[in-house]
Amino acid sequence: DTDTKNLLLGTFDNGVILINKQEQKRLNLLTLKNSPVRCIKLYNQNTILVAADGKGIYELDRYTLQIKAKSEFDIDTQGALGSNGVYDLFIDTDRRIWVSTYTDGINLYDPNSMNFRYLTHRYKDLNSIGNNHVKGIYETSNNSIWFGTNDGISMFDSFTGQWKHFLDKDPKWENNRMITSICQDKDGTIWAGGYGSGLISINPTTNAVNVIRANESENGLTTNFIYSIFMPETTGIICKILFKIQ
């Protein structure tokens, strides 16, 4: 955070750790045992969102770092978060929060109604998300929103309200469907990776799909397990691997 000079680190089993080099401070900000912190996002000028897998979503005050509110699953409350298994958060231009969950598809929070709306897979309905286990969200330059699921990639066109799906039906993509991360390069190509998927590229104009697998070339991928993908401002793609297969 360039304003507060705080660095917030999400850990696998020790919650959120705060580091402030300027004040030489390090402390455990939010203790969450056995709940991996999947995402930390600045929601607005005063609020930080923390997505914890198994605990839901915490709202922290950006400056005091105190917990302001918590969104969690409650079967008796209409409009509550549909699952505590939260993997990713995306904030659109209307300040709505798109929440990817492990069992309940996409939960869309509207700050006006202060309720969640559920975008889930509907059996044999191609105009719905392809799978309810959603691990990654990415908005492209043309405002379409792409979701990495346990059964391929689903793209939502925010202008038409239509869905499009990739890697979900053809048997040749059977080992490439569990997607964790998506990004777009400066030429418009979509890149994705996941558990055993290799590195996937999609031409959003032609819908052509290509997969780069491990050990296909001397200087290629060392593993097909990709945890996240980052597109630097210069050139190339940075892949964070989950682990290396020997």
Side-chain angles (χ1 to χ4, degrees), residues 105-106 118-132 134 147 149 151 153-156 161-166 168-169:
I106 295 296
Y118 315 112
L119 307 178
T120 56
H121 173 70
R122 296 188 295 270
Y123 182 60
K124 291 188 176 181
D125 185 353
L126 294 179
N127 199 38
S128 67
I129 194 164
N131 189 275
N132 285 331
V134 187
F147 302 94
T149 81
D151 193 19
I153 298 170
S154 292
M155 185 274 286
F156 178 72
Q162 298 297 303
W163 290 85
K164 185 181 293 185
H165 308 282
F166 301 87
D168 59 326
K169 298 301 180 185

Side-chain angles (χ1 to χ4, degrees), residues 56-57 70-84 86 97 99 101 104-110 113-120:
I57 304 170
K70 182 185 179 186
S71 297
E72 59 186 338
F73 172 73
D74 185 349
I75 195 171
D76 295 321
T77 302
Q78 186 176 4
L81 185 66
S83 169
N84 285 335
V86 179
I97 306 170
V99 182
T101 74
D104 198 54
I106 295 296
N107 286 202
L108 179 58
Y109 179 78
D110 187 335
S113 67
M114 300 181 67
N115 285 321
F116 286 93
R117 182 162 61 93
Y118 315 112
L119 307 178
T120 56

Side-chain angles (χ1 to χ4, degrees), residues 5 17 28 33 43 64 72 90 95 111 128 134 145 162 165-166 168 185 194 206 209 214 222-224 235 238-239:
K5 310 302 180 185
I17 295 174
N28 288 351
K33 290 296 182 183
Y43 177 63
T64 68
E72 59 186 338
F90 164 66
R95 311 312 298 167
S128 67
V134 187
I145 305 175
Q162 298 297 303
H165 308 282
F166 301 87
D168 59 326
D185 66 22
T206 65
V209 178
T222 59
T223 174
N224 290 318
T235 185
I238 297 175
C239 298

